[in-house]
Protein backbone atom coordinates (compact mmCIF):
# COMPACT_ATOMS: atom_id res chain seq x y z
CA UNK A 1 0.00 0.00 0.00
CA UNK A 2 1.37 3.45 -0.88
CA UNK A 3 1.51 6.06 1.85
CA UNK A 4 1.32 9.74 1.12
CA UNK A 5 4.30 11.97 1.69
CA UNK A 6 2.49 13.92 4.43
CA UNK A 7 1.43 10.78 6.27
CA UNK A 8 5.10 9.88 6.60
CA UNK A 9 5.41 12.60 9.22
CA UNK A 10 3.54 10.30 11.56
CA UNK A 11 6.60 8.07 11.49
CA UNK A 12 8.66 10.42 13.60
CA UNK A 13 8.77 7.93 16.45
CA UNK A 14 11.92 6.13 15.43
CA UNK A 15 14.40 8.15 17.45
CA UNK A 16 16.73 5.14 17.76
CA UNK A 17 17.29 3.44 14.42
CA UNK A 18 20.12 1.55 12.75
CA UNK A 19 21.58 2.51 9.40
CA UNK A 20 22.16 0.25 6.39
CA UNK A 21 23.95 1.73 3.39
CA UNK A 22 23.82 -0.23 0.15
CA UNK A 23 26.75 0.16 -2.25
CA UNK A 24 25.47 -1.50 -5.45
CA UNK A 25 28.80 -2.10 -7.20
CA UNK A 26 30.84 -5.25 -7.69
CA UNK A 27 33.93 -6.04 -9.73
CA UNK A 28 32.17 -8.98 -11.37
CA UNK A 29 28.88 -10.83 -10.93
CA UNK A 30 28.89 -14.17 -9.07
CA UNK A 31 26.76 -16.86 -10.67
CA UNK A 32 24.56 -17.48 -7.57
CA UNK A 33 23.92 -13.83 -6.69
CA UNK A 34 20.54 -12.11 -6.85
CA UNK A 35 21.52 -9.03 -4.81
CA UNK A 36 21.19 -5.73 -6.61
CA UNK A 37 24.65 -4.80 -7.91
CA UNK A 38 26.22 -3.72 -11.17
CA UNK A 39 29.72 -4.05 -12.59
CA UNK A 40 29.67 -0.72 -14.47
CA UNK A 41 31.30 1.74 -12.06
CA UNK A 42 30.75 4.90 -14.09
CA UNK A 43 28.03 6.28 -11.77
CA UNK A 44 29.83 5.43 -8.52
CA UNK A 45 30.56 8.93 -7.25
CA UNK A 46 27.08 10.24 -8.19
CA UNK A 47 25.42 7.31 -6.42
CA UNK A 48 27.55 7.80 -3.32
CA UNK A 49 26.69 11.52 -3.16
CA UNK A 50 22.99 10.79 -3.58
CA UNK A 51 23.13 8.04 -0.94
CA UNK A 52 24.83 10.37 1.53
CA UNK A 53 22.20 13.02 0.77
CA UNK A 54 19.35 10.52 1.24
CA UNK A 55 20.83 9.30 4.54
CA UNK A 56 21.08 12.86 5.91
CA UNK A 57 17.50 13.62 4.83
CA UNK A 58 16.08 10.42 6.37
CA UNK A 59 17.86 11.05 9.67
CA UNK A 60 16.48 14.56 9.80
CA UNK A 61 12.96 13.73 8.55
CA UNK A 62 12.36 10.67 10.73
CA UNK A 63 13.90 12.38 13.77
CA UNK A 64 16.63 9.79 14.33
CA UNK A 65 18.65 10.89 17.35
CA UNK A 66 20.69 7.76 18.08
CA UNK A 67 22.21 5.19 15.71
CA UNK A 68 23.23 2.01 17.56
CA UNK A 69 24.62 0.13 14.53
CA UNK A 70 25.76 0.87 10.99
CA UNK A 71 26.18 -1.69 8.22
CA UNK A 72 27.70 -0.88 4.82
CA UNK A 73 26.78 -3.74 2.52
CA UNK A 74 26.33 -4.46 -1.13
CA UNK A 75 27.42 -5.20 -3.66
CA UNK A 76 31.03 -4.81 -2.67
CA UNK A 77 31.43 -1.58 -0.67
CA UNK A 78 35.22 -1.83 -0.89
CA UNK A 79 35.00 -1.63 -4.69
CA UNK A 80 34.65 2.13 -4.04
CA UNK A 81 37.98 3.92 -4.57
CA UNK A 82 39.68 4.98 -1.32
CA UNK A 83 38.79 8.72 -1.61
CA UNK A 84 35.09 7.83 -1.93
CA UNK A 85 35.30 5.46 1.02
CA UNK A 86 37.01 8.19 3.02
CA UNK A 87 34.17 10.57 2.16
CA UNK A 88 31.59 7.98 3.27
CA UNK A 89 33.37 7.28 6.57
CA UNK A 90 33.68 11.00 7.40
CA UNK A 91 29.97 11.40 6.74
CA UNK A 92 29.09 8.42 8.97
CA UNK A 93 31.35 9.75 11.74
CA UNK A 94 29.34 13.00 11.68
CA UNK A 95 26.07 11.15 12.43
CA UNK A 96 24.58 10.70 15.92
CA UNK A 97 26.24 7.33 16.54
CA UNK A 98 25.67 5.67 19.90
CA UNK A 99 28.87 5.40 21.94
CA UNK A 100 30.62 2.19 20.87
CA UNK A 101 28.22 1.73 17.93
CA UNK A 102 28.91 -1.42 15.93
CA UNK A 103 29.96 -0.25 12.43
CA UNK A 104 30.40 -3.04 9.89
CA UNK A 105 31.65 -2.92 6.33
CA UNK A 106 31.48 -5.83 3.90
CA UNK A 107 34.50 -6.53 1.70
CA UNK A 108 35.66 -9.08 -0.81
CA UNK A 109 39.22 -10.48 -0.67
CA UNK A 110 40.34 -9.08 -4.03
CA UNK A 111 39.72 -5.53 -2.73
CA UNK A 112 41.81 -5.94 0.43
CA UNK A 113 45.18 -4.20 0.55
CA UNK A 114 47.23 -2.44 3.19
CA UNK A 115 45.99 1.05 2.22
CA UNK A 116 42.38 -0.06 2.62
CA UNK A 117 43.03 -1.65 6.02
CA UNK A 118 44.80 1.52 7.17
CA UNK A 119 41.85 3.63 6.02
CA UNK A 120 39.37 1.34 7.81
CA UNK A 121 41.49 1.33 10.97
CA UNK A 122 41.50 5.13 11.12
CA UNK A 123 37.75 5.37 10.51
CA UNK A 124 34.64 4.70 12.59
CA UNK A 125 34.43 1.18 11.12
CA UNK A 126 35.09 -1.46 13.79
CA UNK A 127 33.84 -4.67 12.18
CA UNK A 128 34.96 -6.19 8.87
CA UNK A 129 32.81 -8.82 7.18
CA UNK A 130 34.79 -10.62 4.53
CA UNK A 131 33.05 -12.64 1.80
CA UNK A 132 35.36 -15.64 1.52
CA UNK A 133 32.72 -18.29 0.60
CA UNK A 134 35.35 -21.04 0.13
CA UNK A 135 39.07 -21.71 -0.03
CA UNK A 136 38.60 -24.31 -2.77
CA UNK A 137 39.24 -23.07 -6.29
CA UNK A 138 36.80 -25.69 -7.61
CA UNK A 139 33.99 -24.42 -5.33
CA UNK A 140 34.86 -20.77 -6.08
CA UNK A 141 34.72 -21.63 -9.79
CA UNK A 142 31.27 -23.22 -9.42
CA UNK A 143 30.09 -20.07 -7.58
CA UNK A 144 31.54 -17.87 -10.34
CA UNK A 145 33.56 -15.90 -7.78
CA UNK A 146 36.03 -13.32 -8.98
CA UNK A 147 38.86 -14.28 -6.65
CA UNK A 148 40.77 -17.51 -6.09
CA UNK A 149 41.93 -19.14 -2.88
CA UNK A 150 45.42 -17.60 -3.12
CA UNK A 151 43.91 -14.09 -3.14
CA UNK A 152 41.65 -14.95 -0.19
CA UNK A 153 44.56 -16.30 1.87
CA UNK A 154 46.71 -13.26 1.04
CA UNK A 155 43.89 -10.92 2.09
CA UNK A 156 43.41 -12.81 5.36
CA UNK A 157 47.15 -12.73 6.08
CA UNK A 158 47.04 -8.92 5.79
CA UNK A 159 43.88 -8.65 7.89
CA UNK A 160 45.29 -10.90 10.60
CA UNK A 161 48.37 -8.70 11.03
CA UNK A 162 46.95 -5.21 10.44
CA UNK A 163 43.23 -5.21 11.40
CA UNK A 164 42.49 -4.77 15.10
CA UNK A 165 38.69 -4.69 14.84
CA UNK A 166 36.13 -7.44 14.86
CA UNK A 167 36.26 -9.94 11.96
CA UNK A 168 33.43 -11.95 10.43
CA UNK A 169 33.92 -14.42 7.58
CA UNK A 170 31.21 -15.62 5.19
CA UNK A 171 31.33 -19.22 3.96
CA UNK A 172 28.95 -21.13 1.69
CA UNK A 173 28.19 -24.81 2.03
CA UNK A 174 26.21 -27.42 0.07
CA UNK A 175 27.62 -26.06 -3.19
CA UNK A 176 27.21 -28.50 -6.11
CA UNK A 177 30.07 -30.99 -6.02
CA UNK A 178 31.27 -29.88 -2.55
CA UNK A 179 31.89 -32.73 -0.07
CA UNK A 180 31.69 -32.73 3.74
CA UNK A 181 35.48 -32.75 3.98
CA UNK A 182 35.72 -29.80 1.55
CA UNK A 183 33.37 -27.76 3.73
CA UNK A 184 35.10 -28.77 6.98
CA UNK A 185 38.45 -27.86 5.46
CA UNK A 186 37.02 -24.40 4.57
CA UNK A 187 35.88 -23.95 8.17
CA UNK A 188 39.24 -25.02 9.64
CA UNK A 189 41.11 -22.65 7.33
CA UNK A 190 38.72 -19.81 8.22
CA UNK A 191 39.14 -20.47 11.96
CA UNK A 192 42.95 -20.40 11.63
CA UNK A 193 42.59 -16.61 11.02
CA UNK A 194 40.77 -16.10 14.37
CA UNK A 195 37.49 -14.55 13.21
CA UNK A 196 35.09 -13.86 16.08
CA UNK A 197 32.08 -14.49 13.84
CA UNK A 198 31.33 -16.86 10.95
CA UNK A 199 28.26 -16.91 8.72
CA UNK A 200 27.79 -20.32 7.13
CA UNK A 201 25.13 -20.18 4.45
CA UNK A 202 23.60 -23.16 2.71
CA UNK A 203 23.64 -22.31 -0.99
CA UNK A 204 20.20 -21.42 -2.30
CA UNK A 205 19.46 -21.50 -6.00
CA UNK A 206 17.86 -18.11 -6.58
CA UNK A 207 15.55 -17.98 -9.59
CA UNK A 208 17.03 -16.26 -12.59
CA UNK A 209 20.69 -16.66 -11.56
CA UNK A 210 23.13 -18.45 -13.92
CA UNK A 211 23.75 -21.14 -11.26
CA UNK A 212 20.01 -21.90 -10.92
CA UNK A 213 19.80 -22.31 -14.69
CA UNK A 214 22.72 -24.74 -14.57
CA UNK A 215 21.58 -26.95 -11.66
CA UNK A 216 18.23 -28.52 -10.93
CA UNK A 217 17.48 -27.90 -7.18
CA UNK A 218 17.03 -31.68 -6.81
CA UNK A 219 20.37 -32.38 -8.47
CA UNK A 220 22.36 -35.14 -6.77
CA UNK A 221 25.36 -32.80 -6.93
CA UNK A 222 23.77 -30.74 -4.11
CA UNK A 223 23.92 -32.37 -0.71
CA UNK A 224 22.08 -30.54 2.11
CA UNK A 225 23.83 -32.77 4.64
CA UNK A 226 27.11 -31.02 3.87
CA UNK A 227 25.79 -27.84 5.50
CA UNK A 228 24.35 -29.74 8.48
CA UNK A 229 27.62 -31.52 9.27
CA UNK A 230 29.65 -28.36 8.62
CA UNK A 231 27.43 -26.41 11.04
CA UNK A 232 28.03 -29.06 13.72
CA UNK A 233 31.75 -28.76 13.10
CA UNK A 234 31.60 -25.01 13.67
CA UNK A 235 29.81 -25.50 16.99
CA UNK A 236 32.30 -28.14 18.10
CA UNK A 237 35.03 -25.62 17.23
CA UNK A 238 33.57 -23.10 19.71
CA UNK A 239 31.40 -20.93 17.45
CA UNK A 240 27.95 -20.92 19.00
CA UNK A 241 25.03 -20.82 16.62
CA UNK A 242 22.70 -17.93 17.42
CA UNK A 243 20.71 -17.75 14.18
CA UNK A 244 19.91 -20.10 11.30
CA UNK A 245 23.22 -19.37 9.47
CA UNK A 246 25.23 -17.36 12.00
CA UNK A 247 27.81 -18.50 14.53
CA UNK A 248 29.92 -16.46 16.94
CA UNK A 249 32.38 -16.61 19.79
CA UNK A 250 30.80 -15.51 23.05
CA UNK A 251 29.82 -11.82 22.98
CA UNK A 252 30.46 -11.40 19.24
CA UNK A 253 26.97 -11.86 17.76
CA UNK A 254 26.16 -9.28 15.09
CA UNK A 255 24.26 -6.49 16.85
CA UNK A 256 23.08 -5.05 13.55
CA UNK A 257 21.57 -8.28 12.20
CA UNK A 258 20.05 -9.10 15.59
CA UNK A 259 18.16 -5.82 15.34
CA UNK A 260 16.75 -7.01 11.96
CA UNK A 261 15.58 -10.28 13.50
CA UNK A 262 13.93 -8.36 16.35
CA UNK A 263 12.23 -6.03 13.84
CA UNK A 264 13.81 -2.98 15.46
CA UNK A 265 13.79 0.16 13.28
CA UNK A 266 16.46 0.83 10.67
CA UNK A 267 16.84 3.04 7.66
CA UNK A 268 18.30 1.67 4.44
CA UNK A 269 19.77 4.08 1.92
CA UNK A 270 21.22 3.65 -1.55
CA UNK A 271 19.61 2.01 -4.60
CA UNK A 272 17.87 -1.29 -3.84
CA UNK A 273 18.02 -0.90 -0.04
CA UNK A 274 15.08 -1.30 2.33
CA UNK A 275 14.07 0.61 5.48
CA UNK A 276 11.79 -0.75 8.19
CA UNK A 277 10.38 1.83 10.57
CA UNK A 278 7.81 1.63 13.32
CA UNK A 279 4.42 3.04 12.45
CA UNK A 280 1.53 3.68 14.87
CA UNK A 281 -0.10 0.40 13.89
CA UNK A 282 2.80 -1.74 12.79
CA UNK A 283 5.71 -1.50 10.40
CA UNK A 284 6.33 0.87 7.58
CA UNK A 285 8.65 -0.40 4.84
CA UNK A 286 10.38 1.70 2.24
CA UNK A 287 12.06 -0.11 -0.66
CA UNK A 288 14.43 1.99 -2.72
CA UNK A 289 14.28 1.43 -6.45
CA UNK A 290 16.95 -1.05 -7.63
CA UNK A 291 17.93 1.10 -10.59
CA UNK A 292 20.80 3.59 -10.60
CA UNK A 293 19.34 6.03 -13.13
CA UNK A 294 15.90 6.15 -11.50
CA UNK A 295 17.49 6.57 -8.06
CA UNK A 296 19.56 9.51 -9.32
CA UNK A 297 16.71 11.13 -11.26
CA UNK A 298 14.21 11.24 -8.39
CA UNK A 299 14.51 14.27 -6.16
CA UNK A 300 11.76 13.47 -3.62
CA UNK A 301 12.44 12.44 -0.01
CA UNK A 302 12.10 8.75 -0.89
CA UNK A 303 13.98 8.91 -4.22
CA UNK A 304 11.12 7.05 -5.95
CA UNK A 305 10.93 4.25 -3.34
CA UNK A 306 7.96 1.89 -2.98
CA UNK A 307 6.29 1.95 0.43
CA UNK A 308 4.22 -0.63 2.28
CA UNK A 309 2.39 -0.71 5.61
CA UNK A 310 2.57 -3.99 7.50
CA UNK A 311 -0.15 -4.27 10.11
CA UNK A 312 -2.36 -6.81 11.90
CA UNK A 313 -1.68 -10.48 11.16
CA UNK A 314 0.99 -9.64 8.57
CA UNK A 315 2.92 -7.79 11.28
CA UNK A 316 2.54 -10.69 13.71
CA UNK A 317 3.66 -13.18 11.07
CA UNK A 318 6.72 -11.12 10.17
CA UNK A 319 7.63 -10.83 13.86
CA UNK A 320 7.38 -14.62 14.27
CA UNK A 321 9.17 -15.32 10.99
CA UNK A 322 12.17 -13.20 11.97
CA UNK A 323 12.19 -14.01 15.71
CA UNK A 324 12.16 -17.78 15.31
CA UNK A 325 15.31 -17.57 13.14
CA UNK A 326 17.24 -16.93 16.37
CA UNK A 327 18.22 -19.89 18.53
CA UNK A 328 17.09 -17.83 21.55
CA UNK A 329 13.66 -17.57 19.93
CA UNK A 330 11.13 -14.99 21.04
CA UNK A 331 10.86 -13.52 24.51
CA UNK A 332 7.28 -13.76 25.70
CA UNK A 333 7.47 -10.33 27.35
CA UNK A 334 8.69 -8.73 24.08
CA UNK A 335 5.78 -10.25 22.16
CA UNK A 336 3.34 -9.11 24.85
CA UNK A 337 4.61 -5.55 24.88
CA UNK A 338 4.55 -5.35 21.06
CA UNK A 339 1.13 -6.88 20.41
CA UNK A 340 -0.68 -6.64 23.75
CA UNK A 341 -1.34 -10.39 23.85
CA UNK A 342 0.43 -13.65 24.66
CA UNK A 343 2.29 -15.52 21.92
CA UNK A 344 0.81 -18.74 23.33
CA UNK A 345 -2.69 -17.39 22.61
CA UNK A 346 -1.84 -16.38 19.05
CA UNK A 347 -0.50 -19.70 17.70
CA UNK A 348 -1.45 -22.22 20.45
CA UNK A 349 -1.89 -25.25 18.15
CA UNK A 350 1.37 -24.82 16.26
CA UNK A 351 3.34 -24.32 19.48
CA UNK A 352 1.80 -27.30 21.20
CA UNK A 353 2.30 -29.57 18.16
CA UNK A 354 5.92 -28.55 17.71
CA UNK A 355 6.65 -28.94 21.44
CA UNK A 356 5.04 -32.39 21.42
CA UNK A 357 7.21 -33.39 18.47
CA UNK A 358 10.24 -32.20 20.44
CA UNK A 359 11.04 -29.49 17.87
CA UNK A 360 10.31 -26.43 20.03
CA UNK A 361 11.16 -25.55 23.63
CA UNK A 362 9.17 -23.29 25.93
CA UNK A 363 10.57 -21.80 29.13
CA UNK A 364 9.02 -19.26 31.48
CA UNK A 365 10.67 -16.43 29.51
CA UNK A 366 10.75 -17.55 25.89
CA UNK A 367 9.82 -19.96 23.12
CA UNK A 368 12.37 -21.20 20.59
CA UNK A 369 12.83 -23.87 17.96
CA UNK A 370 15.56 -26.37 18.82
CA UNK A 371 18.19 -27.67 16.39
CA UNK A 372 15.76 -30.14 14.76
CA UNK A 373 13.05 -27.49 14.53
CA UNK A 374 15.35 -24.92 12.92
CA UNK A 375 16.20 -27.42 10.19
CA UNK A 376 12.55 -27.33 9.10
CA UNK A 377 11.87 -23.69 9.94
CA UNK A 378 9.92 -23.23 6.70
CA UNK A 379 7.41 -25.90 7.74
CA UNK A 380 7.00 -24.19 11.12
CA UNK A 381 6.29 -20.90 9.35
CA UNK A 382 3.72 -22.55 7.07
CA UNK A 383 1.96 -24.00 10.13
CA UNK A 384 2.10 -20.59 11.81
CA UNK A 385 0.69 -18.86 8.76
CA UNK A 386 -2.23 -21.24 8.38
CA UNK A 387 -3.08 -20.92 12.10
CA UNK A 388 -3.00 -17.12 11.88
CA UNK A 389 -5.39 -17.11 8.89
S1 LIG B 1 30.43 -10.10 -4.64
FE1 LIG B 1 28.55 -10.42 -3.44
S2 LIG B 1 27.10 -8.87 -4.14
FE2 LIG B 1 28.77 -8.97 -5.67
S3 LIG B 1 28.03 -10.37 -7.21
FE3 LIG B 1 29.22 -11.60 -5.76
S4 LIG B 1 27.72 -12.33 -4.21
FE4 LIG B 1 26.77 -10.67 -5.39
Amino acid sequence: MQKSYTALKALKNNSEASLYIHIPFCNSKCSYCDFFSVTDHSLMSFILDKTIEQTARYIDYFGIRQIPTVYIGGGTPTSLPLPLLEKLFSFIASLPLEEGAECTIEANPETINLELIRLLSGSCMNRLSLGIQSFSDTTLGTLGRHCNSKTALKALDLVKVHWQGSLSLDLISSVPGQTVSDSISDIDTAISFNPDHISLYALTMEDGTPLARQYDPDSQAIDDNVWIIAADHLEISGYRRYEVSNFALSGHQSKHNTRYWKLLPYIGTGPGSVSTLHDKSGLFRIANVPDLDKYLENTGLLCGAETEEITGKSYIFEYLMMGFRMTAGIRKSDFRSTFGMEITEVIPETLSEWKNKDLAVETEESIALNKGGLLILNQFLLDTLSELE
Side-chain angles (χ1 to χ4, degrees):
M1 186 196 293
Q2 286 290 325
K3 194 165 193 139
S4 76
Y5 185 92
T6 343
L8 283 174
K9 288 187 176 170
L11 289 177
K12 287 191 172 182
N13 58 355
N14 293 280
S15 61
E16 182 183 286
S18 287
L19 167 63
Y20 172 77
I21 294 181
H22 189 75
I23 305 294
F25 300 100
C26 287
N27 292 338
S28 67
K29 200 73 192 168
C30 306
S31 59
Y32 61 98
C33 176
D34 76 337
F35 297 125
F36 173 60
S37 70
V38 300
T39 52
D40 175 355
H41 293 182
S42 54
L43 293 176
M44 239 176 196
S45 74
F46 299 106
I47 290 292
L48 184 70
D49 284 348
K50 182 89 179 194
T51 302
I52 286 176
E53 184 196 317
Q54 188 186 35
T55 308
R57 288 167 77 180
Y58 271 24
I59 288 173
D60 178 48
Y61 192 84
F62 296 122
I64 295 166
R65 298 278 163 264
Q66 180 135 310
I67 300 177
T69 64
V70 176
Y71 196 104
I72 309 175
T76 306
T78 49
S79 64
L80 289 176
L82 296 188
L84 292 189
L85 278 174
E86 205 168 357
K87 186 181 201 176
L88 178 59
F89 298 154
S90 323
F91 169 69
I92 292 172
S94 73
L95 300 177
L97 301 179
E98 191 178 286
E99 202 184 330
E102 178 190 270
C103 296
T104 305
I105 183 164
E106 285 180 348
N108 274 333
E110 69 275 13
T111 62
I112 295 287
N113 54 51
L114 195 50
E115 289 71 34
L116 173 70
I117 299 176
R118 285 195 177 129
L119 175 63
L120 294 176
S121 302
S123 77
C124 53
M125 293 294 114
N126 49 30
R127 188 167 180 272
L128 176 62
S129 173
L130 208 47
I132 299 293
Q133 315 316 346
S134 175
F135 294 98
S136 150
D137 286 334
T138 309
T139 303
L140 291 170
T142 306
L143 294 170
R145 295 283 292 175
H146 189 52
C147 93
N148 58 24
S149 57
K150 199 171 155 201
T151 310
L153 290 168
K154 203 171 141 210
L156 281 165
D157 279 336
L158 273 180
V159 166
K160 192 172 180 179
V161 176
H162 298 283
W163 174 246
Q164 307 298 320
S166 186
L167 176 65
S168 176
L169 301 181
D170 279 6
L171 296 174
I172 297 188
S173 201
S174 290
V175 176
Q178 191 188 39
T179 64
V180 166
S181 68
D182 293 336
S183 192
I184 286 180
S185 161
D186 280 347
I187 289 169
D188 288 341
T189 307
I191 290 174
S192 71
F193 291 96
N194 304 325
D196 45 61
H197 186 282
I198 293 181
S199 300
L200 177 70
Y201 297 104
L203 179 68
T204 46
M205 296 288 180
E206 302 293 351
D207 283 348
T209 58
L211 200 67
R213 283 195 287 277
Q214 198 181 341
Y215 288 95
D216 182 311
D218 300 324
S219 163
Q220 298 220 320
I222 306 165
D223 185 354
D224 292 340
N225 285 322
V226 174
W227 183 89
I228 295 169
I229 297 168
D232 280 346
H233 185 70
L234 257 178
E235 294 230 62
I236 291 164
S237 308
Y239 289 79
R240 214 181 124 244
R241 187 184 190 192
Y242 68 101
E243 191 266 350
V244 173
S245 310
N246 285 285
F247 302 76
L249 298 181
S250 177
H252 290 276
Q253 292 88 349
S254 160
K255 291 184 184 132
H256 186 86
N257 289 339
T258 300
R259 287 180 59 89
Y260 288 157
W261 300 317
K262 292 187 170 175
L263 286 188
L264 293 169
Y266 66 92
I267 52 167
T269 56
S273 66
V274 169
S275 303
T276 301
L277 293 164
H278 285 182
D279 200 347
K280 274 183 197 148
S281 47
L283 300 176
F284 184 72
R285 185 147 292 144
I286 309 168
N288 273 338
V289 58
D291 182 303
L292 302 193
D293 291 321
K294 286 187 185 149
Y295 182 74
L296 286 175
E297 274 161 22
N298 207 302
T299 52
L301 170 74
L302 301 181
C303 303
E306 291 284 316
T307 61
E308 183 189 12
E309 285 181 88
I310 299 158
T311 56
K313 286 180 182 174
S314 302
Y315 181 22
I316 295 176
F317 179 66
E318 189 151 333
Y319 191 95
L320 298 173
M321 181 174 72
M322 297 302 273
F324 277 112
R325 295 185 65 86
M326 297 179 285
T327 55
I330 291 176
R331 284 179 68 82
K332 293 175 179 173
S333 55
D334 288 347
F335 189 93
R336 193 184 306 124
S337 62
T338 305
F339 298 104
M341 51 192 157
E342 299 294 332
I343 186 171
T344 45
E345 288 165 7
V346 175
I347 46 166
E349 285 172 24
T350 305
L351 291 177
S352 126
E353 190 187 328
W354 281 65
K355 278 191 294 176
N356 289 341
K357 286 185 185 163
D358 198 21
L359 295 166
V361 180
E362 179 175 358
T363 65
E364 217 166 286
E365 290 83 32
S366 63
I367 302 183
L369 296 184
N370 60 17
K371 196 169 156 186
L374 277 175
L375 275 179
I376 45 173
L377 172 65
N378 284 348
Q379 185 54 54
F380 176 80
L381 296 176
L382 286 173
D383 290 357
T384 300
L385 195 57
S386 65
E387 187 169 0
L388 282 173
E389 279 168 358

